[in-house]
Amino acid sequence: MEKSLKSRLAQGEVLVGPLVTLPSPEVAEIMAGVGFDYLWIETEHAPMNLAQAQMMIQAVGGRCPCVLRVPENAEVWIKRALDVGCDGIVIPQIKSAAEAEEAVRCCLYPPAGKRSVGIGRAHGYGLSFQEYVEVANDQLAIILQVEHIDGVRNIRSIAATSGIDAILIGPFDLSGSLGLLGQIDHPRVREATCEIMRHCQAAQVPVGMFAVDPGAARQCIDDGVSLIALGMDVLYLSKSAKQALDEVQPGDP
């Protein structure tokens, strides 16, 4: 039996996947065929609704796990996202242990949490309802995103929250919360990032990070990051198209 994303995270495997922001089943299908460890389906910043996200997960067809980032840490978004049948969920802007605990409770069925019961794709549209609810709590990867200086200040208690499978650092929003928007290599941003990693590693919680290119990803791995979000579909598309055009139409000498 193939290992779940949750179990692979727990075993410390290095997992690499792209952000998929275009609401296209074909794009998701192509990305799944490349061989990534997982796909990150993006609904926080992308022009994508949950029906489109579900169609993308269906197009992947189980060839690799799909995690879905919700727009905010809110029960209504979390329960609706989980019902489409994702393998993991990314919950943004966690700033305190109380927010972390609430996110986990929303992800888990009672008695461990307070996830409400519905019937959707995750439950086989009712055909596998009982089988799903019996294992959902044990198989869902819950990934919380720390991307604000307030979250850094509370990282010790956030990392100690029971039920989380990884903490993902958002370097760009973190830089913005420090008044250094986009300066992700600034010493203060790097210091905050290291603070998150230090407390996560002490609590034995896997750390995730967005890497814009392979060089950044390799540095993340060297630093002890095991969940890598490597680039995104629109960047792969634009970079490849620009490179092809430049090779055919070189600039004037």
Side-chain angles (χ1 to χ4, degrees), residues 8-248:
R8 295 179 71 186
L9 281 168
Q11 291 166 12
E13 292 188 38
V14 174
L15 304 174
V16 180
L19 271 71
V20 185
T21 66
L22 297 171
S24 164
E26 291 83 3
V27 170
E29 188 175 24
I30 290 167
M31 288 294 184
V34 169
F36 286 111
D37 296 303
Y38 73 97
L39 300 188
W40 171 319
I41 308 296
E42 174 60 23
T43 70
E44 182 187 14
H45 291 294
M48 185 188 310
N49 59 43
L50 287 175
Q52 291 167 320
Q54 176 173 297
M55 287 188 287
M56 293 166 69
I57 295 171
Q58 289 170 318
V60 170
R63 282 172 291 178
C64 71
C66 292
V67 305
L68 196 157
R69 179 160 70 171
V70 293
E72 63 176 324
N73 181 17
E75 182 177 3
V76 64
W77 281 115
I78 292 171
K79 65 184 177 183
R80 293 185 67 210
L82 297 182
D83 285 348
V84 307
C86 54
D87 301 282
I89 188 165
V90 178
I91 302 173
Q93 294 291 346
I94 299 297
K95 299 175 184 176
S96 68
E99 292 180 359
E101 291 165 2
E102 175 65 7
V104 172
R105 283 196 296 270
C106 290
C107 289
L108 300 177
Y109 284 121
K114 64 173 188 176
R115 178 180 172 184
S116 66
V117 176
I119 294 179
R121 178 180 175 272
H123 319 81
Y125 308 102
L127 297 173
S128 55
F129 174 82
Q130 194 60 40
E131 295 92 327
Y132 175 79
V133 298
E134 287 177 357
V135 301
N137 286 2
D138 296 326
Q139 294 186 351
L140 177 70
I142 301 173
I143 303 164
L144 305 185
Q145 202 163 5
V146 175
E147 48 187 338
H148 191 279
I149 188 58
D150 290 346
V152 179
R153 296 186 181 113
N154 293 315
I155 187 58
R156 184 192 297 270
S157 56
I158 292 172
T161 302
S162 177
I164 62 177
D165 296 292
I167 287 178
L168 195 140
I169 301 170
F172 286 94
D173 279 357
L174 178 56
S175 70
S177 74
L178 289 165
L180 300 163
L181 184 61
Q183 300 179 53
I184 61 174
D185 291 322
H186 190 282
R188 288 178 61 202
V189 180
R190 293 285 298 171
E191 180 183 357
T193 299
C194 290
E195 181 77 358
I196 297 171
M197 293 187 62
R198 182 161 54 250
H199 285 289
C200 287
Q201 289 167 351
Q204 297 185 316
V205 175
V207 178
M209 178 84 82
F210 175 76
V212 71
D213 56 37
R218 286 191 292 269
Q219 183 60 57
C220 286
I221 294 169
D222 289 344
D223 291 340
V225 176
S226 58
L227 182 65
I228 307 292
L230 178 58
M232 60 179 67
D233 51 2
V234 292
L235 293 180
Y236 290 125
L237 178 61
S238 60
K239 182 178 179 180
S240 180
K242 182 67 165 60
Q243 181 180 346
L245 181 61
D246 288 345
E247 290 177 5
V248 173

